[in-house]
Amino acid sequence: MLTAHTIKVLQSLDKKKFRQKYNLFLVEGNKIICELFNSNFKVKEILSTDPQKLDRTDIPITHISENELKKISFLKTPKDSVAVCYLAEEESWADKKIQLVLDGIQDPGNLGTIIRLADWFGIEQIICSEDTVDVYNPKVIQATMGSFTRVNLVYTDLVEYLSKTENINIGTDMDGENIYTFEKPEKINLILGNEGNGMRPETEKLLQKCITIPRFGKSQSTESLNVSMAAGIILGQLFSK
């Protein structure tokens, strides 16, 4: 049985300041939890309504009731188990040949989808502005479907980083070069801006190339694409070259 204090701590982990305070985050559902076992993430404990399904002897597993699961879950329809995990330790990092760079992405679903796309295309690292939504946000973790265990996210001062990187900084613009005829550089930073405002002017100044996804619809009235949808189209084209 979970104590009132434990429930209160776990419920608080939907907020970044408490995730940092306790150095913990939650992963929900056996399918995503199983991804943790092949990663560098350390699991503190697992709380499950059916511990036998996980069949682990190396991690403490506590049997909880359906009612307790509802209290600690951030999902509308809680799943079988919740893993309490330690935040990853910050490590040194270096540029990869192809990276995504996120400038102020705010929607957890968008970030989760972008991480999943990166994993699909074998992109190992995403560079984020310091105000991009936290990767440990429960909605981000859920949207990645486990891909967060295979993609490294770095939060940093983007202007400073983009000024020094040896990768070619590429952004999207309606007047940019057609993505279908664009010649891919060897080393790329694909920069994606905020959902409503796009990338900051100071980020835009550091672009070396601009690309666009041409519209084929007759009406030509759609103003823009969802950022994660645009990322998928661009990555699909870049990796086809």
Side-chain angles (χ1 to χ4, degrees):
M1 185 173 176
L2 299 179
T3 66
H5 174 71
T6 298
I7 290 171
K8 186 177 180 181
V9 169
L10 296 179
Q11 287 175 337
S12 75
L13 298 180
D14 66 330
K15 293 184 174 60
K16 184 177 178 179
K17 67 177 181 179
F18 290 111
R19 291 193 291 272
Q20 292 177 332
K21 176 181 177 180
Y22 296 113
N23 194 40
L24 297 171
F25 73 104
L26 298 187
V27 175
E28 301 196 44
N30 286 349
K31 188 173 181 181
I32 305 180
I33 288 171
C34 286
E35 300 275 7
L36 292 165
F37 304 146
N38 298 314
S39 76
N40 293 324
F41 282 95
K42 294 177 183 176
V43 181
K44 180 175 185 278
E45 62 178 327
I46 296 174
L47 311 171
S48 179
T49 57
D50 191 354
Q52 289 183 332
K53 279 188 179 177
L54 288 163
D55 191 28
R56 302 290 297 196
T57 56
D58 55 331
I59 298 167
I61 301 181
T62 302
H63 186 274
I64 60 172
S65 67
E66 294 280 354
N67 190 45
E68 286 175 315
L69 180 65
K70 286 178 184 176
K71 287 180 180 178
I72 62 174
S73 174
F74 298 125
L75 302 176
K76 286 183 180 177
T77 307
K79 299 187 177 178
D80 28 47
S81 308
V82 172
V84 184
C85 307
Y86 294 104
L87 303 182
E89 293 179 10
E90 285 190 26
E91 297 178 359
S92 58
W93 55 279
D95 281 352
K96 306 290 183 183
K97 277 193 172 182
I98 298 185
Q99 299 179 142
L100 294 177
V101 177
L102 309 182
D103 186 10
I105 297 295
Q106 295 298 300
D107 183 82
N110 280 337
L111 179 57
T113 302
I114 289 169
I115 293 170
R116 201 171 170 188
L117 278 167
D119 186 26
W120 182 267
F121 285 101
I123 295 173
E124 299 174 1
Q125 188 161 270
I126 299 175
I127 311 296
C128 304
S129 63
E130 291 165 327
D131 63 341
T132 288
V133 62
D134 183 29
V135 63
Y136 297 112
N137 180 303
K139 291 178 181 177
V140 175
I141 294 293
Q142 205 63 35
T144 70
M145 292 302 292
S147 288
F148 75 94
T149 62
R150 292 178 290 275
V151 180
N152 183 40
L153 265 75
V154 177
Y155 288 79
T156 190
D157 182 319
L158 274 197
V159 172
E160 184 181 348
Y161 166 70
L162 294 172
S163 301
K164 295 176 180 177
T165 178
E166 292 182 9
N167 286 20
I168 302 298
N169 296 327
I170 299 172
T172 55
D173 188 274
M174 293 301 286
D175 298 320
E177 193 176 334
N178 188 323
I179 184 62
Y180 299 109
T181 57
F182 175 72
E183 286 193 26
K184 180 176 76 173
E186 190 180 343
K187 296 181 178 181
I188 296 174
N189 282 332
L190 176 59
I191 304 168
L192 302 167
N194 174 270
E195 292 88 346
N197 303 315
M199 64 185 75
R200 294 175 176 84
E202 52 267 40
T203 304
E204 207 164 356
K205 286 177 184 175
L206 296 167
L207 294 181
Q208 291 152 292
K209 290 181 181 290
C210 288
I211 54 175
T212 191
I213 302 168
R215 289 182 293 191
F216 295 98
K218 287 183 180 178
S219 69
Q220 301 284 298
S221 57
T222 303
E223 283 188 11
S224 62
L225 290 171
N226 169 278
V227 65
S228 57
M229 190 183 296
I233 294 170
I234 294 168
L235 290 175
Q237 186 58 26
L238 288 178
F239 279 88
S240 70
K241 294 178 183 294

